[in-house]
Amino acid sequence: MPTLAIIGAGPGMGLAIARTFGSRGFDVALIARTKEKLQALVDQLGQEGITAEAFTADVLDRPSLTAALDAVKVRFGGIDVLEYSPAPHSPVPGHALAAPSEVTVDNMQPQIEYLFYGAITAAQAVLPAMREAGAGTLLFTTGGGSVDPLPMLGNVNAASAALRNWVINLDKELAGSGVHAAHVAISVWIGDGGPEGIPTATPDQIAPLYWDLHENRDRSEAVFTA
């Protein structure tokens, strides 16, 4: 069975992506900070006939992230698709939003660590085996501000744009290797409770885009809009 590893798995997009791939024959590894929350998702997927397992790691703790991905490879025999989409549901210490004119090294560095360096760490943990096998997919998610930035998210958007640039460039480097990298920019509010006037979409509406990028390997980016 092929295996999907989701970094930043939660009850929204992570669960929807897991279902999208799991219903097509993938085993699923869910990676996040809290084992109890992950186990609830594992149980839910199991009731739907999808084999899943929980692994704990913090993207800000790079050795723990590498160790978790190594554990996934031991458990499932490899990783065929990696999806990176950490999104904090509670404040992360040191992660303050800043407008472009207010961006400093101090408030930019945590965003780079969280969004960009974590992604690089994850890719380095799986890319050598994918290259050796001549097959694999790397998927990375950011908000739509990576493409069309918003002033209130000056530091977040800059870090996201760095990730986007790297992913698209990585896919160019991997051309002809059988390994594919792609970026997803989500330009809507996910779920209910968004600001008035902001377009919304459910995770189940967005998740098929990931399967499309996995299957259509000539695309290195997709932007989801309402």
Side-chain angles (χ1 to χ4, degrees):
M1 298 280 282
T3 300
L4 163 71
I6 300 175
I7 298 171
M13 283 306 309
L15 181 59
I17 295 168
R19 283 172 168 156
T20 297
F21 281 79
S23 65
R24 291 167 171 84
F26 275 71
D27 292 333
V28 179
L30 303 175
I31 302 172
R33 290 180 295 172
T34 307
K35 186 67 173 283
E36 293 76 14
K37 293 180 180 179
L38 289 176
Q39 193 57 50
L41 302 180
V42 168
D43 294 342
Q44 190 170 346
L45 291 168
Q47 293 171 7
E48 299 171 16
I50 298 170
T51 299
E53 190 159 330
F55 301 83
T56 55
D58 185 338
V59 297
L60 294 173
D61 179 356
R62 294 195 284 275
S64 81
L65 181 55
T66 299
L69 290 166
D70 287 344
V72 173
K73 288 181 276 188
V74 171
R75 166 63 179 86
F76 290 109
I79 296 172
D80 301 277
V81 178
L82 173 77
E83 195 278 323
Y84 184 87
S85 56
H89 296 284
S90 58
V92 177
H95 283 230
L97 303 182
S101 63
E102 299 168 345
V103 169
T104 65
V105 171
D106 288 340
N107 64 38
M108 174 61 77
Q109 187 62 35
Q111 303 298 339
I112 293 287
E113 293 277 353
Y114 190 80
L115 294 167
F116 191 22
Y117 291 169
I120 292 173
T121 299
Q124 292 299 328
V126 302
L127 189 52
M130 287 183 175
R131 275 181 148 158
E132 184 175 353
T137 302
L138 303 163
L139 302 171
F140 301 87
T141 304
T142 68
S146 62
V147 179
D148 184 13
L150 300 172
M152 67 177 291
L153 301 172
N155 53 348
V156 175
N157 288 168
S160 298
L163 174 57
R164 172 180 180 258
N165 179 284
W166 174 76
V167 172
I168 293 171
N169 206 20
L170 176 63
D171 191 54
K172 292 179 180 180
E173 178 191 348
L174 294 172
S177 71
V179 184
H180 171 49
H183 170 251
V184 178
I186 301 178
S187 291
V188 297
W189 183 274
I190 303 172
D192 300 324
E196 185 177 354
I198 301 297
T200 65
T202 67
D204 288 339
Q205 290 174 313
I206 302 169
L209 187 61
Y210 291 81
W211 182 260
D212 184 57
L213 286 171
H214 169 60
E215 287 284 278
N216 297 304
R217 308 179 75 78
D218 58 335
R219 298 176 62 194
S220 61
E221 181 171 47
V223 179
F224 187 94
T225 57

